[in-house]
Amino acid sequence: MRVTVFGATGESGRATLRLLLASKEGHTVVALARRPEALDGLTAELGPDAAARLKVLRGDLFDADSVRAAVEGADAVVFVAGVASIKQAATQRTTVYSVGGRHMLDAMRAAGVKRLIAVTSQGCVHDPSAPWLYSYLIKPLLMRDMYADMRRLEAAIAGSAPGTLSATVLRPTKLESAPLPGRALHVGEGLLPRGACFCVDRADLAAQIVAALEDERGTAGKTLYVSC
């Protein structure tokens, strides 16, 4: 499968690239990046076979032409772009989900690409499993605008014309960059089960991105939380 990845230079994006290129399915990957050199270390790490199946294009989700070039010829698209930190979410109003997402969806329609895995956040909904401090202070005061923009992307996906999109939306909880020992992974629809810790390792998120991509029949049309 030829897969286009948006957000490939972030921690979650890089983890996703590694797993896509390690998959026994033999995927080829096109990554759009403002700074392609940011992936130089990854290509060296992958080895010659995997590196040969990775093409990195210079571009930006806010540039519709570069998005169209990245999507052309793809079988599927992975959207794992986002903001880099809570500070950025609090101080810089983002439109990467709404504007960048619109460019992506327009490019997919133009190219006839239907399969999409889009990553937003479980913060898009009120989940009683979330810590009180997050739900009533951090989220409304610091992350409100980011979550509103994520919901615009989710609405655009849901509002796509019937038959034009086969999408799976993944909503991870707080992203961590290390394993969470002793914690089971929860993936499902709706709200988190009681006892979930409202955080997830980026490597586990990446694994669920690839799993959903390769299980279109079982995941298309669903919005799934991903959390430990």
Side-chain angles (χ1 to χ4, degrees):
M1 189 185 303
R2 181 181 170 100
V3 184
T4 295
V5 178
F6 296 109
T9 59
E11 287 187 71
S12 300
R14 291 167 69 90
T16 302
L17 289 185
R18 287 188 185 94
L19 293 185
L20 281 171
L21 292 165
S23 170
K24 65 182 185 208
E25 300 297 326
H27 303 300
T28 59
V29 179
V30 174
L32 186 71
R34 290 191 300 270
R35 296 186 304 107
E37 62 273 14
L39 292 173
D40 286 350
L42 179 63
T43 55
E45 168 193 323
L46 290 170
D49 175 66
R53 291 184 282 112
L54 172 63
K55 181 178 182 180
V56 183
L57 300 179
R58 185 179 299 276
D60 192 302
L61 270 165
F62 293 106
D63 175 21
D65 289 338
S66 62
V67 174
R68 281 194 294 270
V71 170
E72 186 65 36
D75 300 302
V77 171
V78 171
F79 181 98
V80 69
V83 299
S85 64
I86 292 178
K87 180 180 179 180
Q88 184 180 349
T91 59
Q92 301 176 30
R93 179 168 291 185
T94 184
T95 56
V96 69
Y97 301 97
S98 56
V99 176
R102 184 179 71 244
H103 289 162
M104 173 189 69
L105 293 173
D106 288 346
M108 290 178 67
R109 279 191 289 269
V113 181
K114 294 184 178 181
R115 186 67 176 129
L116 170 65
I117 309 296
V119 177
T120 57
S121 172
Q122 188 69 359
C124 289
V125 296
H126 176 70
D127 194 315
S129 296
W132 186 94
L133 182 67
Y134 164 82
S135 293
Y136 296 101
L137 289 178
I138 295 174
K139 180 177 173 179
L141 294 178
L142 302 179
M143 306 179 79
R144 178 182 60 191
D145 290 338
M146 182 188 73
Y147 288 137
D149 202 51
M150 286 181 177
R151 286 192 290 269
R152 293 182 192 106
L153 172 59
E154 290 191 357
I157 292 170
S160 296
T164 62
L165 204 58
S166 174
T168 304
V169 175
L170 297 181
R171 288 175 171 170
T173 51
K174 182 178 181 292
L175 292 169
E176 303 286 354
S177 299
L180 300 164
R183 291 285 187 175
L185 184 67
H186 302 285
V187 181
E189 295 181 274
L191 301 179
L192 294 175
R194 182 169 303 200
C197 74
F198 213 80
C199 54
V200 65
D201 181 14
R202 293 175 189 274
D204 287 332
L205 171 61
Q208 291 305 311
I209 290 170
V210 176
L213 179 72
E214 295 176 352
D215 182 22
E216 181 173 5
R217 180 176 295 181
T219 63
K222 294 183 178 180
T223 297
L224 303 171
Y225 59 72
V226 183
S227 184
C228 287

